[in-house]
Amino acid sequence: MRAFDAVGIYFGRAADQMDLTENMRRLLLTPKREVQVQVAIERDNGELATYIGFRVQHDHSRGPMKGGLRYHPDVDLDEVRSLASLMTWKTAVVNIPYGGAKGGIAVDTTTLSRRELERLTRKFIDQIHDMIGPDIDIPAPDMGTNAEVMAWIRNQYEKYHGFNPACVTGKPVELHGSAGREEATGRGVGILTLKLLSRLGRKPQDTRVAIQGFGNVGSHTAAFLGQAEIPVVAVSDISGGYYRADGLNVSHILNYARDHGDCLAGYSEAEKISNEQLLELDVEMLIPAALGGVISVDNAPRIKAPIIVEAANGPIWPDADEMLEQRGVTILPDILANAGGVTASYFEWAQNRQHYQWGLNRVRQELDRVLSESFQQVWELSVERKLSLRTAAYILGIGRVGRATVLGGIT
Ligand code: NAD
């Protein structure tokens, strides 16, 4: 199965419940524009290197398109297309005035120096600057990119279009970024986890959690859950998993990662396990917060956690999702679970356009409000229609996009 098929299948399950016509389904699923560009740079040693960059603009019926930029060797058009469509439903589920887009470059960033990464980013923007912008399509960080990369994007974009901080979000706070943006995806995962536990009648302190991925999303999720006194028993990154049955010392492991180049390799205060073992731990909650497609029909039968919160985009393949749903596993879907990031990006964009900065408390309060309202709507729809949280979230998102499309006039 290809990545785009996965989002298409989830879309289809919801569309069946909504009795959408075939034509409407095709209209809503087909991306508006797809661009693939060659990005050539000179390496530090004078050699030439070429990479392929992508930007897919899926839908703009509810506002400018919004979506992250991923730097990873596995990036291809199919994956970017799938993630762009996911962004359309995500921005609609949390009801912020955006459409969906996504981009990426197929590159292993560990093979590049900082200067090479900057050259690559600037060359990519040279190629796509005329198809992005604050009223058109606004990139943001995703796997392999960060605030520094966003700062280069803004600077390069402004060389063509003049002062325009709202052309990209996830910027450093010193360069028109927003307080609370960096933590927002993980914080949002934490806020929604607490809401979910409350609805399920589970005590947070009795919910042992395993988190796969300790980058931006995984580490901020761990920090939030640790502060909420939820026992985080395992975390992992590319170097493997780290497990402690009676709970990890979250602040200790956060400090360790910070002091070791954001990497957990060598952490010795926990038992070393593999990433595969982490997914199959006997815990109450699993939070995949790294790559997509990590839970398939092969390992789904061995997943023991009764609750899965999808902090990563697309961590569960649809056939595994069906298997888990039949077993009664509660899954909080990516289009809601990790929507805190794009919500705080929206706050950053709004601040940039107002030329007025919000304080951290305001950002956190607004984030809590938006996510709580969205969670309540998704939860109520799922209870009322006896549907999974995923199908309920898709119905909410597709309904909003569909109405905007029809109201705006299709032809
Ligand atoms: P990141 O690059 O900051 O961190 C990724 C983490 O995954 C790192 O700890 C890395 O070591 C780990 N990792 C990489 N390959 C792995 C492997 N094979 N096995 C286990 N771990 C591995 O990325 P991020 O921004 O934290 O994004 C993580 C996920 O969350 C992605 O699916 C992304 O699309 C999604 N997401 C991110 C944001 C955001 O604001 N950053 C928002 C929404 C969704």
Side-chain angles (χ1 to χ4, degrees):
M1 189 191 300
R2 300 171 317 148
F4 188 59
D5 296 333
V7 179
I9 288 170
Y10 291 138
F11 174 94
R13 286 183 194 163
D16 289 346
Q17 295 287 332
M18 302 168 81
D19 289 331
L20 280 191
T21 64
E22 268 314 310
N23 286 340
M24 195 62 188
R25 289 177 198 225
R26 204 169 318 121
L27 179 72
L28 292 180
L29 261 187
T30 311
K32 297 285 174 271
R33 179 152 62 159
E34 301 183 345
V35 167
Q36 174 175 324
V37 293
Q38 187 193 58
V39 193
I41 60 160
E42 188 182 311
R43 301 287 305 259
D44 292 344
N45 63 7
E47 278 178 20
L48 182 72
T50 61
Y51 302 89
I52 303 293
F54 306 92
R55 189 76 189 168
V56 173
Q57 298 178 330
H58 178 255
D59 189 90
H60 53 55
S61 57
R62 300 182 61 260
M65 293 166 284
K66 189 90 188 79
L69 196 59
R70 179 176 287 198
Y71 287 178
H72 192 276
D74 294 343
V75 166
D76 60 19
L77 185 57
D78 190 44
E79 182 185 73
V80 177
R81 195 184 276 148
S82 150
L83 293 168
S85 147
L86 200 72
M87 286 307 296
T88 297
W89 319 126
K90 191 183 295 183
T91 52
V93 168
V94 288
N95 212 2
I96 53 177
Y98 285 142
K102 200 81 182 188
I105 302 179
V107 58
D108 179 356
T109 53
T110 61
T111 62
L112 297 186
S113 71
R114 195 169 154 273
R115 305 307 303 173
E116 288 169 339
L117 197 65
E118 178 176 348
R119 279 203 289 280
L120 180 72
T121 303
R122 289 183 184 278
K123 281 299 278 286
F124 182 50
I125 297 306
D126 285 343
Q127 312 259 40
I128 66 161
H129 72 89
D130 54 355
M131 64 176 281
I132 60 172
D135 291 317
I136 306 168
D137 175 3
I138 309 130
D142 193 78
M143 270 183 86
T145 57
N146 57 18
E148 189 176 31
V149 175
M150 299 306 117
W152 296 329
I153 291 177
R154 176 188 161 201
N155 186 267
Q156 196 65 14
Y157 180 87
E158 289 183 340
K159 286 183 180 162
Y160 296 95
H161 304 276
F163 179 75
N164 237 313
C167 70
V168 62
T169 59
K171 300 177 293 291
V173 177
E174 300 83 347
L175 288 173
H176 296 260
S178 173
R181 167 61 186 90
E182 200 179 304
E183 66 174 20
T185 309
R187 186 176 180 85
V189 172
I191 291 169
L192 292 161
T193 294
L194 290 179
K195 300 257 166 240
L196 182 64
L197 289 178
S198 154
R199 291 290 191 158
L200 295 173
R202 282 181 180 263
K203 284 195 184 133
Q205 62 273 27
D206 296 339
T207 306
R208 293 166 306 144
V209 179
I211 304 173
Q212 183 187 50
F214 209 67
N216 175 292
V217 181
S219 65
H220 285 291
T221 300
F224 186 94
L225 298 184
Q227 274 167 19
E229 294 186 356
I230 293 183
V232 177
V233 295
V235 296
S236 74
D237 68 2
I238 191 96
S239 71
Y242 303 82
Y243 171 65
R244 204 161 146 167
D246 56 356
L248 295 162
N249 180 335
V250 174
S251 44
H252 188 256
I253 202 159
L254 283 165
N255 287 340
Y256 182 91
R258 194 200 51 217
D259 296 343
H260 293 80
D262 291 329
C263 187
L264 297 175
Y267 187 70
S268 58
E269 306 290 314
E271 184 189 331
K272 184 85 201 294
I273 57 172
S274 68
N275 262 294
E276 291 71 33
Q277 285 172 311
L278 178 135
L279 295 173
E280 297 167 18
L281 282 174
D282 184 10
V283 289
E284 282 73 43
M285 183 183 285
L286 179 63
I287 306 187
L291 304 173
V294 291
I295 301 178
S296 66
V297 283
D298 297 331
N299 61 354
R302 297 192 298 276
I303 303 280
K304 299 183 194 68
I307 308 168
I308 301 177
V309 175
E310 292 187 326
N313 282 317
I316 306 177
W317 288 109
D319 38 10
D321 181 76
E322 213 170 347
M323 227 180 208
L324 294 166
E325 201 189 323
Q326 277 164 12
R327 269 181 35 207
V329 175
T330 302
I331 299 171
L332 191 71
D334 46 11
I335 55 170
L336 175 59
N338 66 34
V342 73
T343 304
S345 270
Y346 167 53
F347 300 155
E348 179 178 331
W349 178 82
Q351 292 171 66
N352 291 159
R353 311 214 76 176
Q354 293 173 327
H355 301 282
Y356 182 76
Q357 283 217 303
W358 302 1
L360 180 60
N361 281 345
R362 179 166 176 195
V363 172
R364 286 179 168 179
Q365 270 169 18
E366 294 272 340
L367 184 69
D368 196 291
R369 180 186 61 77
V370 170
L371 295 182
S372 301
E373 280 174 17
S374 309
F375 178 84
Q376 179 141 335
Q377 289 164 357
V378 171
W379 180 270
E380 281 170 4
L381 189 62
S382 97
V383 172
E384 189 188 302
R385 306 260 310 253
K386 296 189 175 50
L387 296 167
S388 68
L389 291 169
R390 189 188 312 279
T391 301
Y394 268 83
I395 288 178
L396 199 66
I398 295 168
R400 285 177 177 151
V401 176
R403 277 191 296 283
T405 304
V406 172
L407 285 170
I410 293 170
T411 52

